[in-house]
């Protein structure tokens, strides 16, 4: 571990605990000193209000200062918010910059025959969208239309979309881009507990003893949360941090142990740890007997496949089939995962495998497992989620302060909107599914629909939706709050031909490659330009008020959906006054959650509080789900009760999951592993952060990280131009050697924030067999001097 203080860490990653005056671009002074100067220089006439940050799923609270002219002049960390306690990362520090790019979209624009965009009125735009949807459904059926949103949709946006599509159009072709980042975590929780989202909360960072990070560069991706862990270690030097990763990062530098693992071998490592827990007698037998049901699914690789284009049919429809298993069968299953065999597969030394077994198996230590895209974007992502949770179930280290499996999210409302509202193609609000008759009936009752209105067949998941668009099966698609022509894997497959008979609408705040692929471009209101609600990683639902007007004619996404629905004769779905619809829409949605362990706080309570952790019962939030003494749905005096796991008699499912190799591995023609991901300064595809001058100046272009020895052998120097090629495409970038990220030999890393250097031209559209989430983390590439 590098000898570094928490203060130095905060400064190195731009973490600030004071306010920031928005003054434009220019050289940045020392961040801490500048923040103090900004606090003193803030105008006295600012009006302050609370909001969650617009970027990642951490859900940091900010206070926004608006001047009398209606412009955001300042932002500061909200010291009253329990998530960040006044701390902000580099992106949060410059948060208002996302609103003031020079090229904000301000008017609806229609693509012309010559490829140009022409300004049109909102009435013309709404009428055109309604007509296109009507024509497609009349001629090709309800499966010919779709809507694609994201974990950046507010609760209002996602609820309007799912109600309009399922209740009005009678189609389940509703998807968010969370399919690309969190679907494996969703299916991990659903297959094991019958309910999505973590049982723990951020207080685990103060209560835990050991923190084991699986494929999660937390120091850059969730720096505010990582700082809480570091502070725990400063206060209690016995705290240990283990970073399991495929390359060294700032997270590794601050960890006590760095475990370097070969790409795609994490299933073997998790099973190797389980092997040691059983071999050394570290099973919590009483907890397992009372709370765990063993299950086993389909394991034949030939039957499951990988779902990549060209490997199987366009529709990847594998469905797992579970059967009961047992602890005895688990022992036999794990016989093949000895430390020596696992070391051969993973490259992890036997001593480190033994250490991990001892850490998980120590009943005196609280263990928190943390993971993000390295686990979820995986051809067996659901399996890996299952195995991490298995480590906690077998040791009884779950549903306790400081002992939990904890999936981290990347988008501000991937939990609150994509997962809780249920904007995935097979879901309804509050863990309900479209293929369950009782769930459809409940939705139809709340929505005032005739029985049988909502179809039982799930719609297209994300990759299949875009494949259907290319094939021509999908005639109309509306994209909101996301940039799929940058973020989708195997990008060369999705090139638009404007004479292809399809009609694509994109609602966004800036021009992007996705608006370039659109027939109709709509300007959206952003963040505090409209009222909103997000739900973060720890189940915290947070509300904010509209604070400023959007530029030009921009309108909020939910409003756009409602106006089109009304033009299609579906105004009965949205019967509320146009000047007061947020409150009744939210309270209608909240009805889905009450009484089933997903209870959301009331609108009035959210307006007042810095968020509330659901389930919220009798006005009180729940810090730990399924835990006696914390969760009001648990009636036991002690221990845990997995009351949502109805399929396994209210016991958590422990899934036996074997190791399978990646869908594509390096060979003589393409000898390097490629991993993709984010960087500290930018968020996702960079459409907002690249328009914030300070962030763009800090990281102006994507690059390829190379191992120094590999680079030397190829004659590539730092900053040299490199061509990276895969079986699907190529991209030219500058080389970065011995930077913040340092890959091992045979591995390269490229971030995906740069629309001018599209790494997803290289990536493979193989996907998880259960969640259908693509594997962005592993494919084979060739490196050449450009």
């Amino acid at each position: 571990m590098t000898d570094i203080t928490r203060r130095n860490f905060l400064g190195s990653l731009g973490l600030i605990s004071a306010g920031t005056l928005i003054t434009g671009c220019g050289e940045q002074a020392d961040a801490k000193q500048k923040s103090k100067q900004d606090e003193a220089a803030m105008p006295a006439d600012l009006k302050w209000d609370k909001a969650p940050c617009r970027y990642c799923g951490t859900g940091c609270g900010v206070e926004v200062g608006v001047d009398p002219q209606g412009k955001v002049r300042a932002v500061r960390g909200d010291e009253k918010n329990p998530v960040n306690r006044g701390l902000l990362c580099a992106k949060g520090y410059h948060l208002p910059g996302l609103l003031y790019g020079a090229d904000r979209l301000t008017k609806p624009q229609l693509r012309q025959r010559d490829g140009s965009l022409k300004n049109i009125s909102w009435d013309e735009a709404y009428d055109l969208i309604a007509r296109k949807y009507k024509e497609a459904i009349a001629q090709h059926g309800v499966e010919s239309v779709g809507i694609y949103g994201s974990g950046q949709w507010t609760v209002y946006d996602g609820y309007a979309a799912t109600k309009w599509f399922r209740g009005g159009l009678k189609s389940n072709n509703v998807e968010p881009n969370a399919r690309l980042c969190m679907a494996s975590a969703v299916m991990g929780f659903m297959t094991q507990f019958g309910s999505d989202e973590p049982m723990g909360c951020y207080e685990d960072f103060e209560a835990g003893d050991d923190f084991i990070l699986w494929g999660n560069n937390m120091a850059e991706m969730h720096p505010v949360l990582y700082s809480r862990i570091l502070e725990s270690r400063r206060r209690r030097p016995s705290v240990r941090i283990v970073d399991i990763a495929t390359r060294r990062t700032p997270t590794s530098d601050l960890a006590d142990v760095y475990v370097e693992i070969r790409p795609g071998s994490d299933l073997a490592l998790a099973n190797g740890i389980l092997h040691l827990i059983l071999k050394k007698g570290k099973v919590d037998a009483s907890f397992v007997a009372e709370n765990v049901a063993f299950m086993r699914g389909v394991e034949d690789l030939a039957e499951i496949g990988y779902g990549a284009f060209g490997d199987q049919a366009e529709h990847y429809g594998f469905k797992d089939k579970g059967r009961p298993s047992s602890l005895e069968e688990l022992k036999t299953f794990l016989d093949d995962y000895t430390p020596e065999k696992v070391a051969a597969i993973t490259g992890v030394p036997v001593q480190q495998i033994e250490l991990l077994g001892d850490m998980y198996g120590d009943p005196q230590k609280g263990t928190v497992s943390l993971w993000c895209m390295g686990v979820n974007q995986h051809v067996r992502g659901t399996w890996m989620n299952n195995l991490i949770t298995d480590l906690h179930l077998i040791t009884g280290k779950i549903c306790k302060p400081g002992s939990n499996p904890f999936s981290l999210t990347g988008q501000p409302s991937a939990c609150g909107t994509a997962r809780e509202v249920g904007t995935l193609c097979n879901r309804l609000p509050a863990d309900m599914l479209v293929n369950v008759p009782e769930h459809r009936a409940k939705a139809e009752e709340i929505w005032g629909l005739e029985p049988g209105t909502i179809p039982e067949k799930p719609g297209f998941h994300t990759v299949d939706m875009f494949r259907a668009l290319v094939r021509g099966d999908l005639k109309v698609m509306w994209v909101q709050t996301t940039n799929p022509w940058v973020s989708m894997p195997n990008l060369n497959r999705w090139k638009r031909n404007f004479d292809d008979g399809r009609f694509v609408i994109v609602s966004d705040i800036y021009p992007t490659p996705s608006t370039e692929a659109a027939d109709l471009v709509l300007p959206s209101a952003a963040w505090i330009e409209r009222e909103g609600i997000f739900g973060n990683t720890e189940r915290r639902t947070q509300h904010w008020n509209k604070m400023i007007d959007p530029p030009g004619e921009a309108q909020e996404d939910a409003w756009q959906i409602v106006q089109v629905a009304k033009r299609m004769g579906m105004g009965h779905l949205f019967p509320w006054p146009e000047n007061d619809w947020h409150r009744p829409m939210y309270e209608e949605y909240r009805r889905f959650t009450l009484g089933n362990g997903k209870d959301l706080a009331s609108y009035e309570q959210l307006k007042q509080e810095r968020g509330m952790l659901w389930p919220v019962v009798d006005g009180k939030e729940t810090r730990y789900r399924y835990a006696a003494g914390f969760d009001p749905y648990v009636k036991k005096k002690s221990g845990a009760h997995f009351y949502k796991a109805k399929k396994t008699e209210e016991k958590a499912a422990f899934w036996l999951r074997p190791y399978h190799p990646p869908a594509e591995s390096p060979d003589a023609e393409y000898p390097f592993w490629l991993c993709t991901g984010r960087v500290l300064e930018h968020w996702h595809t960079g459409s907002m952060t690249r328009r914030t001058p300070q962030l763009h100046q800090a990281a102006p272009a994507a690059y390829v990280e190379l191992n120094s020895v590999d680079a030397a052998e190829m004659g590539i120097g730092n900053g040299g131009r490199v061509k990276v090629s895969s079986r699907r495409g190529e991209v030219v970038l500058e080389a970065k050697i011995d930077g913040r990220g340092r890959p091992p030999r045979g591995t390269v890393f490229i971030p995906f924030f740069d629309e001018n250097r599209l790494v997803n031209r290289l990536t493979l559209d193989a996907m998880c067999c259960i969640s259908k989430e693509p594997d962005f983390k592993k494919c084979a590439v060739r490196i050449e001097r450009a």
Side-chain angles (χ1 to χ4, degrees):
M1 180 192 69
T2 301
D3 184 16
I4 184 169
T5 67
R6 180 172 182 262
R7 177 175 294 180
N8 290 340
F9 167 72
L10 301 184
S12 69
L13 294 187
L15 286 154
I16 304 299
S17 58
T20 304
L21 183 67
I22 307 306
T23 57
C25 61
E27 292 298 318
Q28 292 299 297
D30 174 79
K32 190 173 184 65
Q33 180 62 33
K34 183 179 187 302
S35 67
K36 290 180 178 179
Q37 295 169 355
D38 286 346
E39 280 278 356
M42 285 181 185
D45 59 352
L46 298 183
K47 181 180 179 180
W48 293 90
D49 204 351
K50 67 177 177 71
C53 179
R54 174 59 180 81
Y55 289 122
C56 81
T58 298
C60 291
V62 300
E63 291 184 298
V64 182
V66 179
D67 69 19
Q69 289 71 46
K71 183 172 182 179
V72 177
R73 291 298 307 279
V75 65
R76 63 191 180 200
D78 187 352
E79 295 181 356
K80 296 179 182 178
N81 192 298
V83 171
N84 56 314
R85 304 163 182 175
L87 200 63
L88 292 176
C89 76
K91 291 185 287 293
Y93 179 63
H94 295 295
L95 187 58
L98 72 88
L99 301 172
Y100 297 118
D103 56 345
R104 275 293 297 267
L105 297 172
T106 60
K107 293 179 180 293
Q109 297 178 303
L110 180 64
R111 183 80 55 189
Q112 305 299 295
R113 288 187 176 276
D114 64 0
S116 65
L117 289 168
K118 176 185 176 183
N119 291 343
I120 62 173
S121 70
W122 273 110
D123 283 336
E124 290 173 304
Y126 289 144
D127 289 343
L128 177 60
I129 297 169
R131 177 166 60 83
K132 290 291 185 180
Y133 271 101
K134 285 181 179 178
E135 290 175 351
I137 292 170
Q139 296 172 20
H140 306 285
V142 296
E143 293 188 359
S144 69
V145 297
I147 189 166
Y148 184 65
S150 79
Q152 301 161 65
W153 258 345
T154 68
V155 165
Y156 300 117
D157 304 330
Y159 188 70
T162 199
K163 188 177 185 184
W164 172 45
F165 249 71
R166 302 185 207 276
L169 301 183
K170 302 180 182 180
S171 170
N172 286 319
N173 280 341
V174 183
E175 270 284 283
N177 71 357
R179 180 73 67 179
L180 307 182
C181 58
M182 294 312 306
S184 295
V186 173
M187 293 310 299
F189 286 119
M190 290 296 292
T191 55
Q192 295 189 277
F193 305 103
S195 182
D196 187 20
E197 299 193 46
M199 55 288 301
C201 66
Y202 293 162
E203 292 180 25
D204 283 334
F205 301 142
E206 284 73 47
D209 300 302
D210 292 332
F211 297 89
I212 301 177
L213 282 56
W214 293 81
N216 177 21
N217 181 11
M218 202 172 174
E220 290 194 84
M221 304 305 106
H222 299 88
V224 170
L225 300 182
Y226 200 48
S227 76
R228 289 179 62 165
I229 298 175
L230 294 177
E231 177 63 8
S232 290
R233 187 175 64 186
R234 186 189 70 82
R235 293 175 180 272
R236 294 184 291 125
S238 60
V239 167
R240 295 178 293 181
I241 304 170
V242 178
D243 180 36
I244 303 172
T246 57
R247 81 191 215 282
R248 285 186 176 272
T249 66
T251 302
S252 319
D253 296 337
L254 295 161
D256 296 279
V257 180
Y258 169 60
V259 177
E260 190 168 282
I261 187 171
R262 291 190 184 116
S265 65
D266 46 4
L267 292 159
L269 178 59
N271 277 316
I273 298 169
L274 286 168
H275 171 97
L276 290 171
I277 289 170
L278 268 67
K279 180 182 177 182
K280 296 183 178 182
K282 299 298 183 179
V283 174
D284 188 332
S286 60
F287 180 89
V288 169
E290 184 178 354
N291 297 292
V292 175
F294 292 91
M295 298 291 294
R296 196 162 183 178
V298 178
E299 298 174 2
D300 180 64
L301 178 57
E303 180 180 350
I304 298 170
Y306 293 112
F309 176 66
D311 291 347
Q312 289 157 306
E314 278 270 297
H315 301 286
Y316 182 46
F318 169 79
K319 293 183 179 179
D320 199 19
K321 303 179 184 67
R323 64 166 178 82
S325 184
S326 65
L327 182 58
E328 288 304 311
E329 186 175 23
L330 174 66
K331 293 175 181 177
T332 302
F333 171 85
L334 292 173
D335 282 345
D336 204 35
Y337 292 95
T338 64
E340 293 73 21
K341 289 184 178 180
V342 170
I345 295 170
T346 64
V348 177
V350 168
Q351 295 89 339
Q352 288 191 327
I353 301 171
E354 297 271 1
L355 172 64
L356 288 166
D358 290 341
M359 293 175 77
Y360 275 107
D362 186 348
Q364 304 304 315
K365 297 282 189 178
T367 304
V368 180
S369 297
L370 295 150
W371 69 96
C372 201
M373 298 304 106
V375 166
N376 293 329
Q377 293 175 337
H378 191 315
V379 290
R380 297 294 181 264
T382 302
W383 286 15
M384 193 58 211
N385 272 265
N386 290 157
L387 288 176
I388 293 174
T389 299
D390 286 350
L391 291 167
H392 288 265
L393 290 172
I394 203 73
T395 56
K397 291 187 172 186
I398 194 168
C399 303
K400 301 173 183 177
S403 271
N404 282 299
F406 207 131
S407 163
L408 299 176
T409 50
Q411 298 187 83
S413 203
C415 291
T417 302
R419 298 162 75 166
E420 292 161 25
V421 173
T423 59
L424 294 122
C425 66
N426 64 325
R427 288 171 71 89
L428 291 163
D431 286 336
M432 298 199 305
L433 304 174
V434 298
N435 60 357
V436 178
E438 296 81 4
H439 294 176
R440 296 196 305 276
K442 180 174 180 178
E444 289 161 351
E445 185 271 324
I446 291 175
W447 288 344
L449 304 174
E450 290 292 323
T453 298
I454 300 172
E456 66 176 318
K457 180 183 177 182
F460 292 122
H461 61 75
T462 292
V463 175
D464 272 0
M465 183 178 282
F466 279 84
R467 289 176 178 177
L469 182 70
V470 171
R471 289 194 308 269
D473 294 344
L474 198 72
K475 302 298 182 182
V476 181
M477 175 191 276
W478 191 348
V479 177
Q480 291 189 329
T481 65
T482 188
N483 191 9
W485 272 268
V486 174
S487 61
M488 287 291 293
N490 196 2
L491 266 180
N492 288 329
R493 287 207 65 205
W494 320 123
K495 292 179 180 178
R496 278 298 312 279
N497 172 4
F498 289 107
D499 296 322
D500 60 9
R502 273 73 101 189
F503 192 77
V504 175
I505 309 115
V506 173
S507 299
D508 212 325
I509 65 174
Y510 288 111
T512 68
S514 297
T515 63
E516 292 175 6
D519 300 277
L520 179 64
V521 178
L522 303 180
S524 291
W527 191 38
I528 58 168
E529 295 168 353
R530 42 83 57 90
E531 180 178 337
I533 296 174
F534 283 160
N536 80 343
T537 296
E538 64 165 349
R539 299 174 283 110
R540 183 176 298 278
T541 311
Q542 301 189 79
H543 172 275
W544 74 92
N545 296 313
K546 178 181 177 181
M547 301 181 205
I548 61 174
D549 290 327
E553 300 175 15
Q555 296 181 359
E556 68 176 282
D557 297 291
W559 177 265
Q560 296 174 24
I561 292 168
V562 170
Q563 296 310 304
V564 171
K566 289 181 175 179
R567 282 164 169 78
M568 297 183 71
M570 301 170 190
H572 61 284
L573 296 174
F574 307 100
W576 311 295
E578 291 197 347
N579 62 349
D580 184 24
W581 55 273
H582 291 92
R583 181 194 306 263
M585 178 183 280
Y586 172 77
E587 289 295 352
E588 180 185 271
Y589 159 58
R590 181 173 173 247
R591 289 176 58 191
F592 283 90
T593 72
L594 299 179
N596 62 10
K598 304 283 287 192
D599 313 59
L600 294 176
S602 70
Y603 181 86
E604 288 73 17
Q605 197 167 12
L606 290 181
K607 291 269 286 186
Q608 297 299 318
E609 301 289 344
R610 262 61 175 182
M612 298 287 287
L613 301 174
W614 60 259
V616 179
V617 179
D618 296 329
K620 298 178 181 179
E621 64 182 2
T622 300
R623 291 153 55 214
Y624 292 95
R625 296 177 78 193
Y626 313 127
F630 292 98
D631 190 334
Y633 285 89
V634 175
K635 305 307 179 185
K636 298 164 64 173
K637 292 183 179 180
S638 63
H641 178 202
F642 300 106
Y643 53 85
K644 298 282 284 184
K646 304 299 183 184
K647 291 184 178 180
T648 47
E649 299 180 343
E650 300 190 359
K651 293 184 175 184
F654 181 113
W655 286 90
L656 284 65
R657 301 295 195 188
Y659 165 72
H660 278 182
E664 183 176 270
S665 296
D667 56 20
E669 187 176 4
Y670 297 94
F672 286 84
W673 285 108
L674 168 66
C675 179
T676 70
R678 291 183 288 162
V679 295
L680 170 71
E681 295 85 356
H682 289 292
W683 192 73
H684 282 207
T685 64
S687 59
M688 294 181 290
T689 50
R690 292 179 73 238
R691 287 172 171 86
T692 301
Q694 296 88 347
L695 298 175
H696 180 60
Q697 289 168 6
Y703 47 82
V704 54
E705 292 177 357
L706 294 171
N707 178 271
S708 58
V709 177
D710 288 336
E713 288 182 353
M714 292 184 287
I716 298 170
N718 201 31
R721 286 170 56 80
V722 174
K723 183 171 78 171
V724 185
S725 308
S726 76
R727 290 178 172 85
R728 291 154 294 281
E730 62 184 44
V731 62
V732 175
L733 310 103
E734 286 191 1
K736 182 167 285 192
I737 302 167
D738 291 334
R740 284 202 306 251
R742 301 174 302 284
R745 295 206 65 183
T747 297
V748 300
F749 173 86
I750 303 174
F752 69 90
F753 69 84
D754 189 348
E755 65 185 39
N756 298 312
R757 298 162 183 82
L758 294 170
V759 65
N760 282 321
R761 288 175 176 164
L762 309 176
T763 51
L764 183 67
D765 57 354
M767 64 191 90
C768 172
C769 55
I770 296 174
S771 71
K772 307 304 186 283
E773 178 170 342
D775 190 336
F776 291 89
K777 298 298 182 181
K778 297 173 288 295
C779 71
V781 296
R782 180 171 59 242
I783 307 296
E784 303 168 273
R785 294 172 62 183

